Amino acid sequence: MLTTLFAAMLISAAHAQSLPGGFVYLRDIDPTIIQDIRYATSNNFVGRPLAGYGASECVVKREVGLRLKAVQQELAAQNLSLKMFDCYRPARASLDMVRWSQNGRETAAERRYNPKIPKTELFRLGYIASRSQHSTGAALDLTLVDLKADHSARIDPAKSYADCTAPVEARLPEGSVDMGTGYDCTDTKGHTAAPSITPEQRAWRRRLVAAMARQGFVNYSKEWWHFSLPGAGGAAYDFPILPRP
């Protein structure tokens, strides 16, 4: 019994120390923020979980988490919610993306995310970084969810979906507002200020950018979903994302 108890204490301590100082699970800061951590699943441009994603959990620097909580509180009054697609990203995951881009294959599922650009060009054009700000814990991929809308649609494996630039009815369902493209869409239509989207889609993007800006977050112009908090980053990390204790 003593041996079992000691082993349990060691496991508990390992879980408690699973995050470096300054990092937190976003659920511990604000459990109301919706999470759909794509790189922990097969629902992403690589088509499988990326290296280091051992759990579908958003991990961030504490300051980042507190500011996200403030954004969420503002949005809640409007029947809206943040939805996190990616937060801290282990450095090994970025290297996994590099290997994927160089494997010499492009499947139909992969082309849904980059319909016009060969994946070997994605790094050169600035759509993917081999050294990502995400690995500092200060960069995020996210969108908005209208809490009054019907988000019951689920991905049908037997259905052939259109690419990420198609009308929302033809794309993979994401359970969020229509921002004009799907998440991780490497196309000029995914640029935040793209002129090719509808006025309503443009209004949603501006609403997201404005809400995040009020808490100091800066948007990346080539990705309407990507935000970072200047000054909150620092060194890149490579610890794996483990299940929350």
Side-chain angles (χ1 to χ4, degrees), residues 9 13 40 49 55 76 81 86 96 101 103 125 139 160 187 218 232:
M9 290 172 63
S81 173
D86 194 33
D96 203 359
S101 74
N103 67 14
L125 295 174
S160 179
D187 185 89
V218 176

Side-chain angles (χ1 to χ4, degrees), residues 188-237:
T188 55
K189 197 174 180 180
H191 294 187
T192 309
S196 54
I197 58 176
T198 69
E200 184 178 7
Q201 293 162 347
R202 188 171 299 109
W204 278 120
R205 291 188 186 187
R206 288 174 176 168
R207 196 167 180 177
L208 175 60
V209 170
M212 295 294 288
R214 282 191 283 274
Q215 289 300 321
F217 291 99
V218 176
N219 173 248
Y220 176 47
S221 63
K222 286 189 174 182
E223 298 175 347
W224 59 256
W225 55 86
H226 180 95
F227 294 83
S228 59
L229 183 62
Y237 288 79

Side-chain angles (χ1 to χ4, degrees), residues 147-190:
L147 298 175
K148 298 178 295 181
D150 179 10
H151 299 299
S152 60
R154 294 292 180 266
I155 296 175
D156 181 355
K159 184 175 179 180
S160 179
Y161 292 98
D163 70 61
C164 59
T165 65
V168 66
E169 298 82 8
R171 302 194 308 257
L172 281 164
E174 294 194 328
S176 55
V177 303
D178 180 13
M179 292 287 188
T181 74
Y183 167 57
D184 258 354
C185 189
T186 50
D187 185 89
T188 55
K189 197 174 180 180

Side-chain angles (χ1 to χ4, degrees), residues 96-173:
D96 203 359
M97 291 179 183
V98 173
R99 288 191 292 269
W100 164 82
S101 74
Q102 299 171 346
N103 67 14
R105 301 187 303 273
E106 285 199 86
T107 67
E110 290 173 354
R111 296 298 291 177
R112 282 203 299 260
Y113 292 90
N114 52 306
K116 299 175 185 175
I117 304 172
K119 68 183 187 180
T120 53
E121 292 291 293
L122 297 178
F123 287 88
R124 184 182 67 82
L125 295 174
Y127 288 105
I128 307 176
S130 56
R131 295 183 180 181
S132 174
Q133 273 190 305
H134 281 275
S135 298
T136 71
L140 313 154
D141 293 343
L142 48 81
T143 190
L144 291 175
V145 174
D146 182 349
L147 298 175
K148 298 178 295 181
D150 179 10
H151 299 299
S152 60
R154 294 292 180 266
I155 296 175
D156 181 355
K159 184 175 179 180
S160 179
Y161 292 98
D163 70 61
C164 59
T165 65
V168 66
E169 298 82 8
R171 302 194 308 257
L172 281 164

Side-chain angles (χ1 to χ4, degrees), residues 55-98:
S56 294
E57 291 288 348
C58 173
V59 173
V60 291
K61 288 285 183 68
R62 178 175 294 277
E63 180 185 359
V64 172
L66 292 172
R67 294 194 186 215
L68 287 173
K69 180 181 178 70
V71 175
Q72 182 76 346
Q73 289 173 339
E74 176 188 335
L75 294 173
Q78 306 166 48
N79 288 307
L80 297 172
S81 173
L82 291 174
K83 182 175 187 177
M84 313 305 298
F85 288 132
D86 194 33
C87 302
Y88 159 74
R89 180 185 305 165
R92 70 191 75 178
S94 295
L95 295 178
D96 203 359
M97 291 179 183
V98 173

